[in-house]
């Protein structure tokens, strides 16, 4: 499940939290509409993506949805903060982050406050 986070984020920050298993429905119903809305109202979007302690992975379809969003809106992002303690996610972000034309930073769940400061500054 993915939910929108609205508190403590400035206007162009899209803040999301992932819990349990993330599916295509999460992207279709939450992520894609939220990304499209932010892009309509802001020149550049900052992404704050928190994978909570109860995060249990992605379905194959969700991985594909995430890839499509990244490709379709490659230049729409100004900053991306990924907050997680999941080792494989941290490594994937570090590997694929070099191909994204904006700063991408990984934070641990313990550093979530620092991630919020960084993405909002």
């Amino acid at each position: 499940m993915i939910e929108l986070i609205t508190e403590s984020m400035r206007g162009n920050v899209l803040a999301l939290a992932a819990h349990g298993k993330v599916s295509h429905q999460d992207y279709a119903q939450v992520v894609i509409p939220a990304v499209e809305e932010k892009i309509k109202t802001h020149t550049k979007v900052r992404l704050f993506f928190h994978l909570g302690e109860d995060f249990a992975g992605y379905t194959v379809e969700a991985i594909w949805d995430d890839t499509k969003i990244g490709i379709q809106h490659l230049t729409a992002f100004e900053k991306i903060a990924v907050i997680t303690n999941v080792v494989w996610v941290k490594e994937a972000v570090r590997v694929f982050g070099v191909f994204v034309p904006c700063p991408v930073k990984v934070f641990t769940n313990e550093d979530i406050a620092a991630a919020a400061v960084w993405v909002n500054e």
Side-chain angles (χ1 to χ4, degrees):
M1 176 182 89
I2 294 182
E3 63 182 345
L4 289 171
I5 302 170
T6 56
E7 68 273 353
S8 304
M9 298 294 165
R10 60 185 250 186
N12 71 330
V13 175
L14 173 59
L16 303 167
H19 304 281
K21 190 82 160 183
V22 175
S23 69
H24 166 72
Q25 288 76 21
D26 295 314
Y27 275 82
Q29 295 171 1
V30 178
V31 179
I32 295 168
V35 168
E36 297 294 336
E37 185 61 32
K38 282 290 182 185
I39 289 170
K40 282 183 196 172
T41 57
H42 296 88
T43 306
K44 291 286 187 175
V45 176
R46 296 174 179 211
L47 179 63
F48 177 93
F49 192 37
H50 179 217
L51 287 76
E53 294 294 334
D54 59 345
F55 171 73
Y58 292 93
T59 65
V60 173
E61 295 86 0
I63 292 170
W64 178 240
D65 289 334
D66 192 70
T67 302
K68 288 190 304 187
I69 289 172
I71 292 169
Q72 291 171 346
H73 300 296
L74 188 62
T75 60
F77 292 96
E78 183 176 26
K79 276 185 174 182
I80 300 172
V82 177
I83 303 90
T84 185
N85 287 344
V86 179
V87 174
W88 72 263
V89 173
K90 289 180 187 180
E91 293 307 315
V93 171
R94 287 189 180 109
V95 168
F96 293 109
V98 298
F99 300 106
V100 178
C102 71
V104 178
K105 197 166 179 181
V106 179
F107 295 84
T108 65
N109 285 330
E110 294 74 27
D111 292 328
I112 192 168
V117 168
W118 181 78
V119 81
N120 278 292
E121 62 185 16

